[in-house]
C-alpha cells in the first residue's frame, strides 16, 4: 500500500492500521510491530509512543488507552530512512514528500471521504475533518521549496484527536 492510500484511509476513518482513539496499548502492539520509544511524563499522566515519524499518545487508566496521534511527514524530507523502516514492518510505502494535491485526488475516489473546514495557520493551511477527528497541516508558503524540508503544497503532518464530549 502507498503512503497516500494509507493517509486517505486514515483521514476518512480516523484509524491507522486498525487502531484509533480508545485502542489499548495491547491492541496497538498487535497492530504495529515496529520499533518505538516510550516516553512517560514525570507524573505518569500521559505516554507518548514515538515510532520515528509516527507518534501515538495515550492516557492512563486500567491500561493505557490511545487519545491521539500524528504522522509527522515533514520528518521524511531529511530522514527518508524512517519511511524505509516503516515500510519493512507495516507494508506501507511513504515517499520523501507527500503533496496535498495527490492526497486530495486519492480522497476524491473515496465515497465516504470527509468534508474539510479550512483555516489559515500562518504559513500553513489546516484541513480539519470533524467527522473522523483528523486534521491535515499543509505548507502554504510560496517561498518554501522541497529539499531538506517539505515545500509549498506538501503535507507537514496528519493528526488525530479525541472528540470533545458534551454532557
Amino acid at each position: 500500500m502507498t503512503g497516500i492510500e494509507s493517509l486517505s484511509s486514515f483521514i476518512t476513518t480516523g484509524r491507522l492500521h486498525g487502531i484509533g482513539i480508545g485502542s489499548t496499548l495491547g491492541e496497538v502492539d498487535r497492530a504495529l510491530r515496529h520499533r518505538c520509544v516510550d516516553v512517560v511524563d514525570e507524573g505518569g499522566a500521559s505516554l507518548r509512543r514515538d515510532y520515528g515519524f509516527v507518534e501515538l499518545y495515550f492516557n492512563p487508566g486500567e491500561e493505557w488507552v490511545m487519545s491521539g496521534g500524528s504522522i509527522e511527514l515533514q520528518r521524511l524530507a531529511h530522514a527518508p530512512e524512517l519511511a524505509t523502516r516503516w515500510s519493512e514492518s507495516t507494508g506501507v510505502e511513504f515517499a520523501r514528500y507527500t503533496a496535498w494535491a495527490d492526497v486530495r485526488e486519492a480522497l476524491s475516489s473515496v465515497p465516504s471521504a470527509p468534508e474539510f473546514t479550512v483555516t489559515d495557520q500562518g504559513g500553513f493551511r489546516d484541513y480539519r475533518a470533524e467527522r473522523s477527528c483528523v486534521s491535515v497541516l499543509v505548507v502554504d508558503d510560496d517561498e518554501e521549496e522541497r529539499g531538506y524540508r517539505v515545500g509549498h503544497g506538501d503535507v507537514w503532518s496528519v493528526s488525530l484527536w479525541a472528540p470533545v464530549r458534551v454532557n
Side-chain angles (χ1 to χ4, degrees):
M1 173 184 287
T2 68
I4 289 174
E5 292 167 334
S6 179
L7 290 174
S8 295
S9 174
F10 183 51
I11 292 165
T12 301
T13 65
R15 304 199 60 80
L16 179 68
H17 298 282
I19 57 172
I21 301 297
S23 294
T24 65
L25 196 56
E27 291 169 332
V28 171
D29 287 341
R30 286 187 292 281
L32 295 177
R33 300 189 184 278
H34 189 79
R35 259 187 8 204
C36 64
V37 174
D38 286 343
V39 179
V40 179
D41 79 339
E42 290 182 25
S46 67
L47 164 67
R48 178 177 57 88
R49 180 166 272 189
D50 189 339
Y51 292 93
F53 73 101
V54 174
E55 292 186 357
L56 302 178
Y57 314 109
F58 298 85
N59 290 333
E62 288 184 31
E63 62 182 306
W64 291 103
V65 177
M66 191 170 151
S67 60
S70 62
I71 303 172
E72 302 293 333
L73 292 167
Q74 85 280 359
R75 293 182 186 171
L76 299 180
H78 65 273
E81 68 278 1
L82 296 173
T84 302
R85 288 196 296 268
W86 186 259
S87 176
E88 289 168 354
S89 68
T90 67
V92 178
E93 296 180 22
F94 281 92
R96 186 173 177 192
Y97 308 101
T98 301
W100 177 233
D102 294 341
V103 176
R104 290 298 296 256
E105 182 178 330
L107 284 168
S108 71
S109 66
V110 177
S112 57
E115 293 185 25
F116 296 100
T117 302
V118 183
T119 57
D120 184 17
Q121 298 289 333
F124 295 92
R125 287 234 184 243
D126 185 19
Y127 295 82
R128 286 176 92 69
E130 298 294 331
R131 189 179 72 217
S132 60
C133 297
V134 173
S135 68
V136 182
L137 200 59
V138 177
V139 178
D140 188 36
D141 183 342
D142 291 332
E143 303 287 319
E144 291 295 328
E145 295 182 14
R146 285 181 172 176
Y148 189 71
R149 296 171 31 135
V150 295
H152 178 75
D154 287 331
V155 177
W156 182 268
S157 64
V158 182
S159 301
L160 173 68
W161 71 90
V164 176
R165 296 176 196 249
V166 179
N167 293 335

